[in-house]
Amino acid sequence: MTIAQKLSRRGFLAGAAAATGGLSIGFHIPTAEAAVGDTPEINAWVVVKPNNTVVVRVARVEMGQGTLTGLAQLVAEELDADWSKVTTEYPTPGQNVARKRIWGDFQTAGSRGIRGSEDYVRKGGAAARIMLMQAAANQLKVPVAELTTSKSVITHKASGRSLRYGQVALAAAKLEAPKDVKIKDPKDWTIAGKPLPRLDTKMKLDGSQIYSIDYKMPGMLNAAIKETPVPGGKVKSFDAAKAEKMRGVKKVLVIDGNAVVVVADTWYRAKTALDAVNIIWDEGANASVSTASIKAMLTEGLDAKQAFVGNKKGDVETAIAGATKKVEAVYRFPYQHHMTMEPMNATAQWTPEKCMVWTSTQNAEAALATVVPASGLPIEKCDVIRMNLGGGFGRRSSSHDYVRQAVLVAKEMPGTPVKLIWSREQDVTHGTYHPTTMCKLTGALDDKGNVVGLHMRISGQSILAGLRPEALVEGRDPGTFQGLNAQGPEGQFGYDIPNLLVDHAMRNPPFRPGFWRGVNNNQNAIYLECFIDEMAHAAGQDPLEFRRKMMKNYPKHLAVLNTVAEKAGWGKPTAPGVFRGISQHMGYGSYVAAVAEVSVSDKGALKIHRIVAATDCGHVVNPQQVAAQIEGSFAYGLSALLYGEMTVKNGRMEQENFDTYEVMKMAEMPPVESYPVPSGGFWGGVGEPTIFVAAPAVLNAIFAATGKRLRDVPLKNLDLRKA
Amino acid sequence: MARLNINGKIHNIDVEPDTPLLWAIREQIGLTGTKYGCGVAACGACTVHVDGVPTRSCSLPVSSFTEKQKIVTIEGLSKTVTHPIQQAWLELDVPQCGYCQSGQIMAAAALLVKHPEPTDAQINEEMSNICRCGTYNRIRAGVKLAAKNAKAKKSNTKAQRA
């Protein structure tokens, strides 16, 4: 393999390595992947300091998913580094611009933190090791082939001499980077693939980790904001006479014509004063939108003539017409909010010469692209410093509206740093929501109970149409069909059905959609996996066997399904009153399956007793972090199933905070038995995939328990008592 | 004006009396380990100890406190991350993003005082803080590990005395 060597010595010396006289190696290895509207590239840097510290520079961000530790493990593995001296560091998007995007894409989404980086990071580590060895060989005057490396030490066995990496770093930095780099076979890993503790745990235990919301600067002011409650609305007028007299208040202003901002010495004073501002809104065209009107819009799409085709095989119409048995059902998935624990916020400082922003973002380049037009300055004069994220889940990659607002406010107060914090109420009512869709499924069974035809008509909102219309493909949003595609490494439909049609009638309500952990896989997996269950019951067959019959050509899908069936004891007796449900799905390059065990009381109270989950993500870099992501994805996915819904009335989101938008808590969290079953040979994602199977496994188990097919989310709205 | 005893030190704070304790701690004292999550006592990210009782600081004004009440924030729980809960959290790598963990740790530390050997039901009852990353199962395991370690330490100390 060849490493593109567009290395600039000046670039090397500009960084921390220059200050410490160490080695830094940079590569640009673009990796193209089939993706939802984007093709990520990754770049990174390896720095070896004289004190033997290895600094891994990464473009991706840590938001809880363990990516930094995993990436560091991969570098350390190839570098044969001393793991106890490995640290990580973020480059800024401004540095990326200055160095002609040497780090590539900064986006941290789509479960790509590891799989979109492993290639670069491993080659980077391996190349650095070769250069360090060559420098040692030169110094010791021995052939490089006689040297071995371990724990950041290079040893010449024959003469008993050894050198630490830090001792030869300066010399190594002067060498040409190797053209060909061999990386290890994962079966030989000793650092990667191991359940090592995270690098970033300790500072999360004593309050010392600084999140974006905690950032402080000398002379900094704080801002609170209230944006139009109706999308498309404007500020008609406002009376700030009272607020302006309140203690600590420095400024009251309108930005973008649709939001009122109060700037004060402290955030609490800004917020209190903002509450005292009397705002009259021009509500605009969307003031009559409601959950019911959105549902009517989507329902119309279920039978509409025009629809974008996502997956087509055979002649589904004829198959359905000739079916021995026809099964039909309509499902719905509502708007959901991300509910990151840290509300949106950003600190900005603007002068005519420079605009700096400190914020938590999943895509610092997109944040920078937001700063530039808001600041009115050229990109060279702008930069974004990445702060720790109190949760991302897609919100901090979908829109940097909060960054734009912070810059607009700071621009009104040149030189003064301003921290804009969204109140939880502003945050919940101005999300980039999980899109709402409905799905009508029509299945055709033959006389032996085989599925001979399936039509999935999805009707509802497109994320790309709302966020990046330029990424639509002839009007079509390919992401709508996540997990339902005929082929491809991202998310393949896992059943052989001779006549199949998956199509999408795009219906876009005015509320801004966003990428939400799992994205369209969440509802697609519910639609398909619950309906497969419906068809199994209509055919009088066991849901597991019914699936297996259609999965012979999908061995990886089948393998994870078999794993959970075996581990959960599918077909074996359960405790009295406890019933099982099963589901499988593929997305973000990984194969996942789950069995849920539930009971439903006579009063309709649901208890989830146990989750058994398997994932085949190809290679596992840190098993304990994979387990953590599996556990976490069930908390997120089941929370959505049990409680998640944003409802709309008079053009406004009705929920405003955790008291009205409930989420799952400790008492409801089931034990999760996680089984990473990496089959090797590919790299799949981990942060999202298992969320797909959480809801359908539970819904299918509820049917087993009650005979009731629940086709709407969330369950808090439904009567779960036995049919 | 308010006089608050925070982490063993008396602070004179010049704020409006209706300022929530959370914002006094974050913006006046400058301790940012205690987090803002909801402002309505629903999520628990702002949990501190008031005379040992886990308290959601976002919804209580500073005027409701006297300097006699000992307020402890995450920064004051231990000097060097040595509290049994912190140690268990470290051992099990409990946090993901970590934003809720100050509150979770404070709630868990208070739980251990109330129930040195907590049952699952007691953990469910006392640990109502929200975590969106989904660390609940590790929090549960962490509480149990801390209880076990604290018990072992206690019996060791007793054995040494004997």
Side-chain angles (χ1 to χ4, degrees), chain A residues 151-163:
Chain A
K151 294 188 176 171
S152 298
V153 175
I154 303 161
T155 303
H156 184 247
K157 230 179 192 172
S159 63
R161 290 176 295 169
S162 65
L163 288 164

Side-chain angles (χ1 to χ4, degrees), chain A residues 201 204 214 424 624 664, chain B residues 27 35 37 93 96-97 136:
Chain A
T201 293
K204 293 172 181 170
D214 304 324
R424 177 58 68 186
Q624 72 116 349
M664 184 190 252
Chain B
E27 300 197 307
K35 300 300 187 212
D93 251 355
Q96 289 190 28
C97 88
Y136 295 128

Side-chain angles (χ1 to χ4, degrees), chain A residues 62-65 196-202 204-211 213-216 222 247 265-269 271-272 337-343 389-391 393 419 421-425 516-517 623-625 627-629 631-633 635-636 639-640 657-659 661 663-672, chain B residues 1 14-16 18-20 23-24 26-40 42-45 56 58 74-81 85-102 104-105 120 123-125 127-141 143:
Chain A
E62 176 61 49
M63 51 187 164
Q65 83 281 36
L196 300 179
R198 295 174 63 121
L199 295 171
D200 57 348
T201 293
K202 204 172 176 183
K204 293 172 181 170
L205 305 179
D206 62 359
S208 60
Q209 168 142 312
I210 301 298
Y211 297 83
I213 200 171
D214 304 324
Y215 189 63
K216 282 181 237 174
N222 290 269
R247 185 174 174 194
D265 56 352
T266 70
W267 186 77
Y268 191 73
R269 285 182 181 136
K271 185 209 173 275
T272 308
H337 191 259
H338 295 87
M339 285 292 196
T340 58
M341 290 306 296
E342 180 195 19
L389 285 76
F393 313 120
K419 178 160 72 181
I421 303 174
W422 282 16
S423 68
R424 177 58 68 186
E425 290 77 11
W516 193 101
R517 192 179 191 176
Q624 72 116 349
Q625 283 310 308
Q629 287 309 297
E631 290 161 22
S633 64
Y636 211 72
S639 195
N657 206 322
F658 280 110
D659 52 356
Y661 191 94
V663 298
M664 184 190 252
K665 293 183 185 173
M666 170 78 83
E668 288 163 308
M669 181 70 195
V672 176
Chain B
M1 285 294 288
D14 179 18
V15 287
E16 296 67 44
D18 60 353
T19 304
W23 293 103
R26 285 184 61 85
E27 300 197 307
Q28 306 295 331
I29 317 258
L31 296 173
T32 54
T34 307
K35 300 300 187 212
Y36 167 62
C38 69
V40 296
C43 80
R56 296 189 174 180
C58 72
I74 185 72
E75 291 90 347
L77 186 64
S78 70
K79 275 190 180 139
T80 51
V81 197
I85 289 288
Q86 290 168 316
Q87 287 291 302
W89 255 233
L90 195 58
E91 195 175 330
L92 299 179
D93 251 355
V94 170
Q96 289 190 28
C97 88
Y99 193 83
C100 74
Q101 296 296 337
S102 297
Q104 302 279 6
I105 290 166
D120 279 323
I123 293 172
N124 289 346
E125 174 78 15
M127 297 297 294
S128 59
N129 292 19
I130 290 170
C131 169
R132 291 292 285 156
C133 296
T135 63
Y136 295 128
N137 289 349
R138 288 186 188 216
I139 289 174
R140 185 186 300 281
V143 168

Side-chain angles (χ1 to χ4, degrees), chain A residues 31-329:
Chain A
T31 56
E33 287 191 61
V36 185
D38 45 49
T39 48
E41 300 179 315
I42 186 74
N43 248 291
W45 295 87
V46 176
V47 180
V48 181
K49 291 184 179 175
N51 68 0
N52 253 17
T53 300
V54 172
V55 182
V56 182
R57 291 196 187 141
V58 287
R60 313 293 180 169
V61 294
E62 176 61 49
M63 51 187 164
Q65 83 281 36
T67 293
L68 282 195
T69 302
L71 291 175
Q73 280 178 269
L74 288 172
V75 174
E77 178 65 57
E78 297 296 337
L79 193 59
D80 281 348
D82 177 354
W83 176 248
S84 68
K85 300 195 94 177
V86 172
T87 62
T88 59
E89 188 175 275
Y90 294 142
T92 74
Q95 290 166 343
N96 205 26
V97 170
R99 296 188 198 179
K100 297 179 182 167
R101 280 193 103 218
I102 195 162
W103 288 286
D105 190 336
F106 277 28
Q107 190 173 27
T108 310
S111 296
R112 285 195 179 77
I114 297 284
R115 68 191 177 116
S117 311
E118 54 85 18
D119 186 56
Y120 154 71
V121 161
R122 294 162 77 205
K123 286 172 186 166
R129 176 174 164 270
I130 290 170
M131 293 168 77
L132 291 159
M133 286 176 81
Q134 187 59 55
N138 295 349
Q139 191 172 329
L140 299 175
K141 297 189 170 46
V142 297
V144 73
E146 290 179 11
L147 299 175
T148 57
T149 54
S150 174
K151 294 188 176 171
S152 298
V153 175
I154 303 161
T155 303
H156 184 247
K157 230 179 192 172
S159 63
R161 290 176 295 169
S162 65
L163 288 164
R164 286 181 295 106
Y165 282 1
Q167 290 175 289
V168 292
L170 199 60
K174 295 187 179 108
L175 299 174
E176 281 297 310
K179 282 199 172 66
D180 297 309
V181 180
K182 195 168 173 267
I183 52 175
K184 292 180 187 175
D185 187 318
K187 72 175 166 47
D188 299 325
W189 284 351
T190 58
I191 297 171
K194 306 298 170 202
L196 300 179
R198 295 174 63 121
L199 295 171
D200 57 348
T201 293
K202 204 172 176 183
M203 50 278 234
K204 293 172 181 170
L205 305 179
D206 62 359
S208 60
Q209 168 142 312
I210 301 298
Y211 297 83
S212 175
I213 200 171
D214 304 324
Y215 189 63
K216 282 181 237 174
M217 291 175 74
M220 184 180 84
L221 297 177
N222 290 269
I225 187 165
K226 253 187 206 172
E227 220 177 316
T228 169
V230 181
K234 296 276 169 200
V235 177
K236 196 178 200 174
S237 65
F238 69 99
D239 177 3
K242 191 177 164 200
E244 278 165 348
K245 285 183 206 128
M246 291 169 76
R247 185 174 174 194
V249 172
K250 308 288 181 189
K251 206 177 183 75
V252 182
L253 67 158
V254 172
I255 55 169
D256 275 335
N258 67 6
V260 176
V261 177
V262 173
V263 184
D265 56 352
T266 70
W267 186 77
Y268 191 73
R269 285 182 181 136
K271 185 209 173 275
T272 308
L274 181 59
D275 288 339
V277 179
N278 185 22
I279 310 168
I280 310 291
W281 302 102
D282 169 1
E283 296 182 345
N286 297 315
S288 62
V289 177
S290 67
T291 295
S293 74
I294 293 169
K295 195 176 173 186
M297 185 184 187
L298 270 51
T299 303
E300 180 274 325
L302 293 175
D303 296 306
K305 282 226 166 76
Q306 193 275 336
F308 297 109
V309 173
N311 192 351
K312 190 175 190 299
K313 195 176 165 189
D315 178 356
V316 81
E317 215 170 303
T318 307
I320 290 167
T324 305
K325 200 168 195 176
K326 188 173 129 182
V327 186
E328 201 172 85

